[in-house]
PDB file of all heavy atoms in Angstrom:
ATOM      1  N   THR A  13      -3.862   0.265  -3.639  1.00 98.00           N
ATOM      2  CA  THR A  13      -4.606  -0.835  -2.918  1.00 98.00           C
ATOM      3  C   THR A  13      -4.924  -0.488  -1.520  1.00 98.00           C
ATOM      4  O   THR A  13      -4.055   0.119  -0.825  1.00 98.00           O
ATOM      5  CB  THR A  13      -3.910  -2.184  -3.131  1.00 98.00           C
ATOM      6  OG1 THR A  13      -2.715  -2.138  -2.264  1.00 98.00           O
ATOM      7  CG2 THR A  13      -3.446  -2.443  -4.563  1.00 98.00           C
ATOM      8  N   GLY A  14      -6.066  -0.888  -1.023  1.00 98.00           N
ATOM      9  CA  GLY A  14      -6.441  -0.475   0.387  1.00 98.00           C
ATOM     10  C   GLY A  14      -6.458   0.999   0.647  1.00 98.00           C
ATOM     11  O   GLY A  14      -5.908   1.539   1.474  1.00 98.00           O
ATOM     12  N   GLY A  15      -7.324   1.573  -0.184  1.00 98.00           N
ATOM     13  CA  GLY A  15      -7.405   3.096  -0.206  1.00 98.00           C
ATOM     14  C   GLY A  15      -8.598   3.601   0.656  1.00 98.00           C
ATOM     15  O   GLY A  15      -8.859   4.800   0.649  1.00 98.00           O
ATOM     16  N   SER A  16      -9.264   2.660   1.312  1.00 96.00           N
ATOM     17  CA  SER A  16     -10.471   3.124   2.023  1.00 96.00           C
ATOM     18  C   SER A  16     -10.278   3.739   3.405  1.00 96.00           C
ATOM     19  O   SER A  16     -11.132   4.388   3.963  1.00 96.00           O
ATOM     20  CB  SER A  16     -11.532   1.986   2.187  1.00 96.00           C
ATOM     21  OG  SER A  16     -10.913   0.906   2.795  1.00 96.00           O
ATOM     22  N   ARG A  17      -9.130   3.576   3.880  1.00 96.00           N
ATOM     23  CA  ARG A  17      -8.767   3.948   5.244  1.00 96.00           C
ATOM     24  C   ARG A  17      -7.401   4.331   5.394  1.00 96.00           C
ATOM     25  O   ARG A  17      -6.487   3.974   4.503  1.00 96.00           O
ATOM     26  CB  ARG A  17      -9.121   2.974   6.346  1.00 96.00           C
ATOM     27  CG  ARG A  17     -10.638   2.671   6.371  1.00 96.00           C
ATOM     28  CD  ARG A  17     -10.895   1.657   7.465  1.00 96.00           C
ATOM     29  NE  ARG A  17     -10.684   0.267   7.086  1.00 96.00           N
ATOM     30  CZ  ARG A  17      -9.833  -0.519   7.799  1.00 96.00           C
ATOM     31  NH1 ARG A  17      -9.154  -0.014   8.821  1.00 96.00           N
ATOM     32  NH2 ARG A  17      -9.454  -1.792   7.387  1.00 96.00           N
ATOM     33  N   GLY A  18      -7.007   4.830   6.502  1.00 98.00           N
ATOM     34  CA  GLY A  18      -5.612   5.023   6.894  1.00 98.00           C
ATOM     35  C   GLY A  18      -4.545   5.645   5.951  1.00 98.00           C
ATOM     36  O   GLY A  18      -4.836   6.672   5.342  1.00 98.00           O
ATOM     37  N   ILE A  19      -3.481   5.006   5.746  1.00 98.00           N
ATOM     38  CA  ILE A  19      -2.488   5.469   4.932  1.00 98.00           C
ATOM     39  C   ILE A  19      -2.825   5.411   3.501  1.00 98.00           C
ATOM     40  O   ILE A  19      -2.514   6.414   2.726  1.00 98.00           O
ATOM     41  CB  ILE A  19      -1.138   4.548   5.133  1.00 98.00           C
ATOM     42  CG1 ILE A  19      -0.534   4.725   6.557  1.00 98.00           C
ATOM     43  CG2 ILE A  19      -0.068   4.957   4.053  1.00 98.00           C
ATOM     44  CD1 ILE A  19       0.588   3.643   6.890  1.00 98.00           C
ATOM     45  N   GLY A  20      -3.575   4.545   2.995  1.00 98.00           N
ATOM     46  CA  GLY A  20      -4.095   4.473   1.611  1.00 98.00           C
ATOM     47  C   GLY A  20      -4.960   5.657   1.432  1.00 98.00           C
ATOM     48  O   GLY A  20      -4.815   6.223   0.323  1.00 98.00           O
ATOM     49  N   ARG A  21      -5.729   5.996   2.223  1.00 98.00           N
ATOM     50  CA  ARG A  21      -6.657   7.038   2.050  1.00 98.00           C
ATOM     51  C   ARG A  21      -5.786   8.451   1.993  1.00 98.00           C
ATOM     52  O   ARG A  21      -6.064   9.302   0.985  1.00 98.00           O
ATOM     53  CB  ARG A  21      -7.678   7.353   3.085  1.00 98.00           C
ATOM     54  CG  ARG A  21      -8.525   8.472   2.976  1.00 98.00           C
ATOM     55  CD  ARG A  21      -9.526   8.726   4.096  1.00 98.00           C
ATOM     56  NE  ARG A  21     -10.619   7.795   4.071  1.00 98.00           N
ATOM     57  CZ  ARG A  21     -11.365   7.722   5.208  1.00 98.00           C
ATOM     58  NH1 ARG A  21     -11.179   8.353   6.357  1.00 98.00           N
ATOM     59  NH2 ARG A  21     -12.501   6.970   4.986  1.00 98.00           N
ATOM     60  N   ALA A  22      -4.868   8.576   2.849  1.00 98.00           N
ATOM     61  CA  ALA A  22      -3.955   9.690   2.747  1.00 98.00           C
ATOM     62  C   ALA A  22      -3.174   9.796   1.537  1.00 98.00           C
ATOM     63  O   ALA A  22      -2.968  10.950   0.955  1.00 98.00           O
ATOM     64  CB  ALA A  22      -3.068   9.655   3.979  1.00 98.00           C
ATOM     65  N   ILE A  23      -2.759   8.649   1.010  1.00 98.00           N
ATOM     66  CA  ILE A  23      -2.078   8.709  -0.386  1.00 98.00           C
ATOM     67  C   ILE A  23      -3.040   9.204  -1.407  1.00 98.00           C
ATOM     68  O   ILE A  23      -2.658  10.061  -2.243  1.00 98.00           O
ATOM     69  CB  ILE A  23      -1.515   7.277  -0.711  1.00 98.00           C
ATOM     70  CG1 ILE A  23      -0.485   6.765   0.350  1.00 98.00           C
ATOM     71  CG2 ILE A  23      -0.959   7.232  -2.038  1.00 98.00           C
ATOM     72  CD1 ILE A  23      -0.101   5.402   0.324  1.00 98.00           C
ATOM     73  N   CYS A  24      -4.178   8.706  -1.453  1.00 98.00           N
ATOM     74  CA  CYS A  24      -5.226   9.097  -2.457  1.00 98.00           C
ATOM     75  C   CYS A  24      -5.432  10.617  -2.379  1.00 98.00           C
ATOM     76  O   CYS A  24      -5.366  11.309  -3.348  1.00 98.00           O
ATOM     77  CB  CYS A  24      -6.518   8.413  -2.270  1.00 98.00           C
ATOM     78  SG  CYS A  24      -6.424   6.609  -2.576  1.00 98.00           S
ATOM     79  N   GLN A  25      -5.547  11.032  -1.119  1.00 98.00           N
ATOM     80  CA  GLN A  25      -5.872  12.516  -0.946  1.00 98.00           C
ATOM     81  C   GLN A  25      -4.515  13.408  -1.329  1.00 98.00           C
ATOM     82  O   GLN A  25      -4.767  14.454  -2.018  1.00 98.00           O
ATOM     83  CB  GLN A  25      -6.246  12.746   0.530  1.00 98.00           C
ATOM     84  CG  GLN A  25      -6.913  14.180   0.696  1.00 98.00           C
ATOM     85  CD  GLN A  25      -6.865  14.583   2.241  1.00 98.00           C
ATOM     86  OE1 GLN A  25      -6.114  13.992   2.886  1.00 98.00           O
ATOM     87  NE2 GLN A  25      -7.681  15.530   2.371  1.00 98.00           N
ATOM     88  N   THR A  26      -3.475  12.904  -0.921  1.00 98.00           N
ATOM     89  CA  THR A  26      -2.216  13.797  -1.181  1.00 98.00           C
ATOM     90  C   THR A  26      -1.942  13.708  -2.801  1.00 98.00           C
ATOM     91  O   THR A  26      -1.430  14.714  -3.118  1.00 98.00           O
ATOM     92  CB  THR A  26      -0.985  13.089  -0.438  1.00 98.00           C
ATOM     93  OG1 THR A  26      -1.279  13.025   0.973  1.00 98.00           O
ATOM     94  CG2 THR A  26       0.273  13.699  -0.637  1.00 98.00           C
ATOM     95  N   MET A  27      -2.126  12.654  -3.384  1.00 98.00           N
ATOM     96  CA  MET A  27      -1.942  12.668  -4.852  1.00 98.00           C
ATOM     97  C   MET A  27      -2.981  13.160  -5.664  1.00 98.00           C
ATOM     98  O   MET A  27      -2.898  13.373  -6.964  1.00 98.00           O
ATOM     99  CB  MET A  27      -1.543  11.306  -5.251  1.00 98.00           C
ATOM    100  CG  MET A  27      -0.382  10.839  -4.425  1.00 98.00           C
ATOM    101  SD  MET A  27       0.425   9.303  -5.025  1.00 98.00           S
ATOM    102  CE  MET A  27       1.016   9.802  -6.620  1.00 98.00           C
ATOM    103  N   ALA A  28      -4.103  13.658  -5.041  1.00 97.00           N
ATOM    104  CA  ALA A  28      -5.339  14.208  -5.796  1.00 97.00           C
ATOM    105  C   ALA A  28      -4.797  15.550  -6.496  1.00 97.00           C
ATOM    106  O   ALA A  28      -4.250  16.338  -5.849  1.00 97.00           O
ATOM    107  CB  ALA A  28      -6.478  14.439  -4.878  1.00 97.00           C
ATOM    108  N   SER A  29      -5.173  15.634  -7.759  1.00 96.00           N
ATOM    109  CA  SER A  29      -5.114  16.910  -8.400  1.00 96.00           C
ATOM    110  C   SER A  29      -5.977  16.854  -9.836  1.00 96.00           C
ATOM    111  O   SER A  29      -6.449  15.746 -10.032  1.00 96.00           O
ATOM    112  CB  SER A  29      -3.588  17.100  -8.852  1.00 96.00           C
ATOM    113  OG  SER A  29      -3.326  16.359 -10.038  1.00 96.00           O
ATOM    114  N   ALA A  30      -6.055  17.992 -10.365  1.00 95.00           N
ATOM    115  CA  ALA A  30      -6.945  18.120 -11.567  1.00 95.00           C
ATOM    116  C   ALA A  30      -6.630  17.155 -12.688  1.00 95.00           C
ATOM    117  O   ALA A  30      -7.380  16.737 -13.318  1.00 95.00           O
ATOM    118  CB  ALA A  30      -7.063  19.565 -11.934  1.00 95.00           C
ATOM    119  N   ASP A  31      -5.249  16.946 -12.728  1.00 95.00           N
ATOM    120  CA  ASP A  31      -4.835  16.078 -13.855  1.00 95.00           C
ATOM    121  C   ASP A  31      -4.273  14.691 -13.390  1.00 95.00           C
ATOM    122  O   ASP A  31      -3.469  14.177 -14.011  1.00 95.00           O
ATOM    123  CB  ASP A  31      -3.688  16.805 -14.727  1.00 95.00           C
ATOM    124  CG  ASP A  31      -2.662  17.309 -13.708  1.00 95.00           C
ATOM    125  OD1 ASP A  31      -2.663  16.875 -12.544  1.00 95.00           O
ATOM    126  OD2 ASP A  31      -1.690  18.002 -14.229  1.00 95.00           O
ATOM    127  N   THR A  32      -4.975  14.245 -12.297  1.00 97.00           N
ATOM    128  CA  THR A  32      -4.583  12.822 -11.861  1.00 97.00           C
ATOM    129  C   THR A  32      -5.947  12.077 -11.650  1.00 97.00           C
ATOM    130  O   THR A  32      -6.870  12.596 -11.062  1.00 97.00           O
ATOM    131  CB  THR A  32      -3.866  12.875 -10.547  1.00 97.00           C
ATOM    132  OG1 THR A  32      -2.706  13.649 -10.773  1.00 97.00           O
ATOM    133  CG2 THR A  32      -3.494  11.457 -10.063  1.00 97.00           C
ATOM    134  N   GLN A  33      -6.015  10.933 -12.156  1.00 97.00           N
ATOM    135  CA  GLN A  33      -7.173  10.023 -11.949  1.00 97.00           C
ATOM    136  C   GLN A  33      -6.732   9.011 -10.889  1.00 97.00           C
ATOM    137  O   GLN A  33      -5.742   8.292 -11.221  1.00 97.00           O
ATOM    138  CB  GLN A  33      -7.500   9.304 -13.224  1.00 97.00           C
ATOM    139  CG  GLN A  33      -8.488   9.890 -14.166  1.00 97.00           C
ATOM    140  CD  GLN A  33      -8.830   9.057 -15.281  1.00 97.00           C
ATOM    141  OE1 GLN A  33      -7.940   8.969 -16.185  1.00 97.00           O
ATOM    142  NE2 GLN A  33      -9.992   8.468 -15.358  1.00 97.00           N
TER     143      GLN A  33
END
Side-chain angles (χ1 to χ4, degrees):
T13 69
S16 58
R17 293 184 284 118
I19 294 170
R21 176 188 282 167
I23 295 168
C24 292
Q25 195 198 15
T26 299
M27 297 191 68
S29 78
D31 53 7
T32 303
Q33 269 182 290

